[in-house]
Amino acid sequence: MDISPSIGSLGSGFDTSFRNGNNSRRLETSVLNQGSPWPVSSSTTYGTNFGTIGSALTPQLSQALSDYDPEGYGWEQDPPSSRTSSEYPNESSRATGNMPRTQGRSHSQRRPPNRDEFDGPHQFLERPSTSSMATQEQELPPVPTNLYVQEQDDVLSQVNAALSRCAFDFVAKYQFPIPLEPDKRPVSTPGDREWTEWVYLLKRLATKRRIPARVLYNGQIKQLVTVLENSLEMRHAARNQSRPLKDDRNVLQLISAGLQVAKILMDADTMKFLDGLYARTEAIIHARRNNPGYHA
């Protein structure tokens, strides 16, 4: 391979020019290698067009060699005052990105967890008069309670069992799906699920539009959830043995709520049973009211 003095080497002088848009940075550097047998120069231009490498010495380079400063390099660049920010978009964007964020940034309007809508704008009603409050705070009038605790438990348990059987027959008749749960056995009898569980199943079937309106009394699909929720106290009352004694009207109301469930599910047999239970219970209440020593 032929190596000529025109090839750049470690002992060559080089002239480098950087061009960027309308601005240019020109680097002219000449390096002399005392150990080289012949002077070598190279000229390289960086920019849109690459210049030649290994060109002969020019008058400019000769001048550069004579003016060579061994302490550093000679740079030719525009004065700082002539440079504008538009000519250096990357620098201006970096400068903008490094600026600190505005300290006056608005904070999130998210409400703290221990606050609710009552901590916001609200109003208070005018207090009632002293005489009105005194009348309201009198001792409550006695409500007739003629059924014994055991009698109440027996009535509510009968209502609960009748409604569980009603729901079981309804789901089986129309072949509604019952989701299988790993912690519960499959349903084979009405007692395999609590009444609250039957209510939950029927409510889910209704909200998921699995129950067509035609299978309900008068197509009352919107009223089904309300009727079911009104009967939920039945199971709580039957299982909570420490509950206070219910008054006569409350017991009759629970039987009536169960009667409405059987009606909307169009279960005539359950309706007849609950209607008869309501009539018998009401008869006992009236008899005991007239004769406190009466026992059914």
Side-chain angles (χ1 to χ4, degrees):
M1 181 173 58
D2 181 22
I3 302 177
S4 64
S6 62
I7 298 177
S9 63
L10 292 176
S12 65
F14 56 91
D15 173 14
T16 306
S17 173
F18 297 88
R19 292 185 176 87
N20 181 10
N22 295 328
N23 298 277
S24 65
R25 298 181 182 180
R26 184 175 182 84
L27 170 62
E28 292 183 356
T29 307
S30 300
V31 180
L32 297 178
N33 188 350
Q34 301 297 331
S36 176
W38 21 253
V40 180
S41 67
S42 66
S43 175
T44 304
T45 302
Y46 296 87
T48 306
N49 298 318
F50 292 96
T52 60
I53 300 177
S55 61
L57 286 175
T58 62
Q60 292 84 352
L61 283 179
S62 300
Q63 182 65 32
L65 288 174
S66 61
D67 297 339
Y68 171 70
D69 181 8
E71 299 297 328
Y73 298 97
W75 291 86
E76 292 183 6
Q77 61 181 9
D78 297 332
S81 59
S82 65
R83 302 171 60 185
T84 61
S85 60
S86 61
E87 296 173 350
Y88 303 92
N90 294 333
E91 294 180 6
S92 61
S93 61
R94 286 196 300 268
T96 305
N98 294 332
M99 292 179 64
R101 296 182 179 180
T102 306
Q103 297 181 357
R105 183 177 57 183
S106 59
H107 295 283
S108 175
Q109 299 300 322
R110 189 175 300 172
R111 191 176 292 149
N114 59 341
R115 295 175 62 85
D116 52 33
E117 66 272 17
F118 300 105
D119 295 311
H122 58 273
Q123 71 173 89
F124 292 104
L125 299 179
E126 184 179 355
R127 288 182 179 274
S129 62
T130 305
S131 58
S132 177
M133 287 191 295
T135 304
Q136 295 171 354
E137 293 172 358
Q138 292 179 355
E139 185 178 356
L140 297 176
V143 180
T145 304
N146 293 289
L147 294 177
Y148 303 134
V149 175
Q150 187 59 41
E151 291 174 330
Q152 291 188 7
D153 292 342
D154 181 62
V155 169
L156 298 177
S157 295
Q158 291 185 60
V159 175
N160 182 79
L163 291 178
S164 295
R165 184 174 61 253
C166 176
F168 178 89
D169 294 341
F170 180 77
V171 172
K173 179 180 179 180
Y174 297 105
Q175 288 295 288
F176 295 124
I178 301 178
L180 296 177
E181 302 179 49
D183 58 336
K184 297 179 182 178
R185 60 184 178 181
V187 178
S188 57
T189 64
D192 288 335
R193 294 292 185 269
E194 302 285 350
W195 171 239
T196 53
E197 295 173 315
W198 284 116
V199 169
Y200 178 79
L201 173 63
L202 293 175
K203 286 172 60 177
R204 293 293 294 171
L205 290 171
T207 54
K208 294 298 182 180
R209 300 183 179 181
R210 295 297 189 100
I211 300 179
R214 59 181 174 79
V215 302
L216 301 177
Y217 179 76
N218 284 345
Q220 297 177 345
I221 188 67
K222 294 182 179 180
Q223 288 77 17
L224 176 60
V225 174
T226 302
V227 171
L228 290 170
E229 289 177 345
N230 289 339
S231 67
L232 278 176
E233 188 182 356
M234 205 79 57
R235 186 60 186 170
H236 299 310
R239 292 184 62 85
N240 187 6
Q241 301 299 325
S242 61
R243 60 174 174 77
L245 199 62
K246 293 184 176 299
D247 61 83
D248 298 338
R249 295 184 181 90
N250 196 356
V251 174
L252 294 176
Q253 182 182 10
L254 292 176
I255 302 174
S256 179
L259 190 62
Q260 295 302 315
V261 172
K263 180 180 178 180
I264 199 170
L265 297 182
M266 295 195 296
D267 188 333
D269 187 44
T270 303
M271 280 190 67
K272 291 178 182 178
F273 173 79
L274 293 176
D275 186 61
L277 181 63
Y278 186 98
R280 293 192 301 272
T281 304
E282 188 178 32
I284 294 174
I285 291 173
H286 283 300
R288 195 161 293 162
R289 188 178 300 172
N290 297 329
N291 185 8
Y294 174 77
H295 293 278

